[in-house]
Amino acid sequence: MEIVRQSQKTEQADRQRQIGLEDREQTGARSMISGENTLLNGIEFQERVLSRKNLNRAYLRVVGNHGAPGIDDMTVDELLPYLKEHKEELLRKLVSGEYKPKPVRRVEIPKPNGGMRKLGIPTVTDRLVQQAVTQVMSPIFEEVFSDNSFGFRPNRSAHDAVMRCVKLYNQGYHYVIDLDLKAYFDTVNHDMLIKFLEQQVTDRWLLRIIRRFLTSGTMNGKMFERSEKGTPQGGPISPLLANIYLNELDKELTRRGHQFVRYADDCNIFVKSQRAGERVLKSITKFLEKKLKLTVNQEKTKVVPTLRMKFLGFTLGVNKNGAYPYPARQVKERVIQALRKITKRSRGVSLEKVLNEIRIKMRGWLQYYGVGRMKDFTFQLDKWLRSRIRQFIWKRWKKVRTRQKNLKRLGMEDREAHTFACTRKGAWRTAHNQALSYTLTNKVLEAKGLINLSKTLIKIQNA
């Protein structure tokens, strides 16, 4: 869907087409640091950001991500009708510099390990502009980002970061500084961020828009709060800005010759001894707090053996073949609690709905954690989950007559079915009885829609 009309070709773009190959290469080699207000190929930032192709791609990305509405309550489904009516006005304001983002809507979501994470949700229109700007800026900064940074970057994933940790352990880095930055996204210094941006981008139009996003403020309920620092999580541009800021940490660690793995604000610095770790932690804390004006959480930041680290939900084990990742204990406990909640026998929902919720939950879980070693855990989880489902079904067969009829349908003899249906044992104990295991077999449960975790894990790992 075209959102904007194709921009008229500028004289500069016309000249660019007419120059020879040799001159084109020289133009493409222009450095952003040298003061050019253009992209590497000589096209102005404004034209690139507001191009029909870039805006259409940004629109599709924003709509595809869904997301909650901002303070104006406009949903992503309402964005297209709004743009059809107001696109010329929006473009005019962007070009003239009159465009001012609305305050973000403050929401809080629970963290897996307790506490609340603050998010700032921009309006869908502001998300469109942020996405358009991000799409232009990202390729430029990808050229200067560290190879040790993995978070929110194209063609890089959490799995890549975890496997880098495995590699470093196998190279002899058996201690790690588990660095925790206190409220990182809420404490980014705006002036310093703009300064870091200017190392690659000197276009005043683009920098002004980014500054306005940073200072747009927050609506916390009905109360407006000024944004004097921070880049709130929730907008498309926030992860890129966070990486640009912490790229200064990456450069400092690289300059000092340290091995490290960073995923957004989660950074681990690898060393070969506890003593070296303590020394590095002290000096890098000074750098972060004095140079980058960030706060190191002293309670959570520590030097630990690499086999005790917890990173992106994984920890490391080791055998004769070297290190390997597996899901951390807390992750296993959380998934069991989630499944316990889904299969709660007092839930007033159908078995089909329960099995569908399990399938959706566990496919995603296995896709993420399947990179780690967890064959035994998955096997035990399968057994436990089948018992939970048998318990759920048994509880639904409330009356003796219903139980007897269903047991006979599953192949049990009439007399045996009657005797078993009259049991006074509790549902959980009954779920482990051999008679129920022989009737509500694994095959029967899978036919009803229960996911086989072990088989699914093998398929994922062999894909």
Side-chain angles (χ1 to χ4, degrees):
M1 182 66 195
E2 294 186 359
I3 299 172
V4 295
R5 297 172 184 167
Q6 186 174 11
S7 302
Q8 293 186 350
K9 299 177 179 65
T10 63
E11 293 181 3
Q12 183 179 11
D14 288 332
R15 290 195 302 271
Q16 183 68 21
R17 287 187 201 79
Q18 295 169 7
I19 60 177
L21 178 61
E22 182 178 348
D23 292 336
R24 189 184 298 263
E25 290 175 352
Q26 292 175 357
T27 303
R30 290 175 183 170
S31 169
M32 301 306 301
I33 303 174
S34 68
E36 296 284 352
N37 291 338
T38 58
L39 285 172
L40 298 181
N41 60 4
I43 301 176
E44 294 180 353
F45 270 100
Q46 186 182 108
E47 182 180 347
R48 179 65 68 90
V49 171
L50 301 182
S51 72
R52 178 182 60 180
K53 182 178 179 181
N54 189 56
L55 286 173
N56 285 337
R57 189 157 67 99
Y59 167 80
L60 292 174
R61 185 70 179 268
V62 169
V63 172
N65 287 340
H66 304 293
I71 62 169
D72 60 357
D73 293 325
M74 184 191 299
T75 66
V76 290
D77 294 330
E78 297 170 321
L79 179 58
L80 184 57
Y82 174 85
L83 291 173
K84 285 181 177 179
E85 184 177 352
H86 299 282
K87 65 181 180 182
E88 298 299 339
E89 179 187 1
L90 176 61
L91 285 172
R92 181 184 59 77
K93 287 184 176 180
L94 283 166
V95 170
S96 66
E98 299 174 50
Y99 171 76
K100 291 185 179 180
K102 291 182 172 63
V104 298
R105 182 167 65 89
R106 173 70 76 196
V107 296
E108 294 184 350
I109 59 173
K111 294 181 180 180
N113 56 351
M116 303 297 290
R117 176 176 283 112
K118 294 180 179 180
L119 300 181
I121 309 299
T123 66
V124 289
T125 308
D126 290 338
R127 294 211 291 272
L128 172 71
V129 178
Q130 284 193 24
Q131 183 64 38
V133 171
T134 301
Q135 288 168 179
V136 173
M137 289 177 56
S138 182
I140 297 169
F141 283 94
E142 278 299 311
E143 295 294 323
V144 297
F145 281 160
S146 169
D147 186 51
N148 298 308
S149 166
F150 294 88
F152 308 112
R153 294 182 59 190
N155 304 316
R156 286 170 171 258
S157 68
H159 291 169
D160 295 328
V162 171
M163 297 314 295
R164 180 68 63 84
C165 295
V166 170
K167 182 179 179 181
L168 288 172
Y169 178 87
N170 290 335
Q171 291 176 353
Y173 294 91
H174 294 176
Y175 287 84
V176 62
I177 302 167
D178 187 357
L179 193 63
D180 187 274
L181 298 176
K182 192 172 183 179
Y184 167 66
F185 284 89
D186 295 326
T187 56
V188 168
N189 183 281
H190 291 172
D191 291 335
M192 295 193 71
L193 175 56
I194 296 298
K195 184 180 78 171
F196 300 150
L197 282 164
E198 288 176 334
Q199 293 176 5
Q200 303 298 321
V201 176
T202 60
D203 188 286
R204 307 317 302 173
W205 176 84
L206 189 65
L207 293 171
R208 182 169 60 246
I209 285 181
I210 293 172
R211 171 77 77 168
R212 286 182 177 176
F213 276 124
L214 292 171
T215 58
S216 62
T218 302
M219 291 301 296
N220 196 348
K222 293 184 178 181
M223 184 172 293
F224 174 78
E225 298 176 357
R226 292 174 59 86
S227 301
E228 297 180 354
K229 59 182 178 179
T231 170
Q233 298 179 76
I237 203 171
S238 193
L240 176 61
L241 296 180
N243 270 334
I244 290 170
Y245 200 89
L246 282 180
N247 190 51
E248 299 303 310
L249 170 63
D250 297 347
K251 290 193 293 187
E252 180 65 16
L253 291 171
T254 301
R255 186 184 68 80
R256 298 184 185 189
H258 294 312
Q259 298 290 341
F260 66 97
V261 179
R262 183 174 67 79
Y263 193 94
D265 62 328
D266 198 348
C267 184
N268 288 303
I269 307 168
F270 290 80
V271 292
K272 294 189 174 182
S273 69
Q274 179 80 26
R275 185 176 179 182
E278 299 292 348
R279 183 180 68 253
V280 173
L281 174 57
K282 184 177 180 180
S283 62
I284 211 66
T285 297
K286 183 178 179 181
F287 172 81
L288 285 164
E289 296 188 341
K290 298 293 184 182
K291 299 291 186 180
L292 297 186
K293 301 186 185 304
L294 299 172
T295 303
V296 175
N297 190 328
Q298 299 293 344
E299 294 181 1
K300 295 183 178 180
T301 298
K302 51 196 171 184
V303 182
V304 297
T306 306
L307 296 181
R308 286 175 50 197
M309 68 178 288
K310 295 179 182 64
F311 184 53
L312 302 175
F314 290 91
T315 190
L316 299 187
V318 66
N319 57 22
K320 63 180 181 179
N321 297 318
Y324 59 86
Y326 65 94
R329 176 180 56 83
Q330 295 88 338
V331 168
K332 295 176 181 178
E333 291 174 353
R334 284 199 297 269
V335 76
I336 290 172
Q337 290 303 317
L339 290 173
R340 193 186 300 276
K341 187 176 180 180
I342 292 173
T343 58
K344 191 175 181 181
R345 63 191 188 191
S346 60
R347 287 187 71 193
V349 296
S350 66
L351 175 64
E352 182 182 10
K353 181 175 175 60
V354 168
L355 297 180
N356 187 53
E357 288 180 10
I358 293 171
R359 189 162 54 249
I360 293 172
K361 169 71 178 177
M362 294 310 298
R363 276 181 178 168
W365 194 88
L366 290 171
Q367 283 284 355
Y368 183 76
Y369 290 103
V371 70
R373 181 173 298 190
M374 55 174 181
K375 181 180 177 181
D376 292 342
F377 172 72
T378 308
F379 177 76
Q380 294 299 326
L381 191 61
D382 259 330
K383 290 175 60 178
W384 175 82
L385 188 55
R386 291 184 191 116
S387 296
R388 292 286 296 184
I389 296 303
R390 291 186 180 110
Q391 173 189 237
F392 186 90
I393 294 173
W394 185 256
K395 192 68 177 178
R396 290 303 172 88
W397 298 346
K398 294 182 180 179
K399 298 180 180 180
V400 172
R401 184 182 302 173
T402 305
R403 292 172 177 174
Q404 184 177 351
K405 181 177 69 174
N406 284 310
L407 289 170
K408 286 173 62 180
R409 187 180 297 160
L410 290 167
M412 189 176 283
E413 295 292 334
D414 184 54
R415 184 174 179 180
E416 188 181 5
H418 177 74
T419 302
F420 191 69
C422 293
T423 182
R424 300 175 64 86
K425 294 177 182 177
W428 182 244
R429 189 174 176 185
T430 303
H432 290 81
N433 190 290
Q434 285 188 347
L436 206 58
S437 298
Y438 290 150
T439 50
L440 284 173
T441 63
N442 298 351
K443 188 175 181 179
V444 168
L445 294 178
E446 286 184 41
K448 289 180 179 291
L450 179 63
I451 185 173
N452 185 308
L453 302 179
S454 298
K455 290 181 181 177
T456 304
L457 178 64
I458 291 172
K459 287 181 181 178
I460 289 171
Q461 292 179 335
N462 292 337

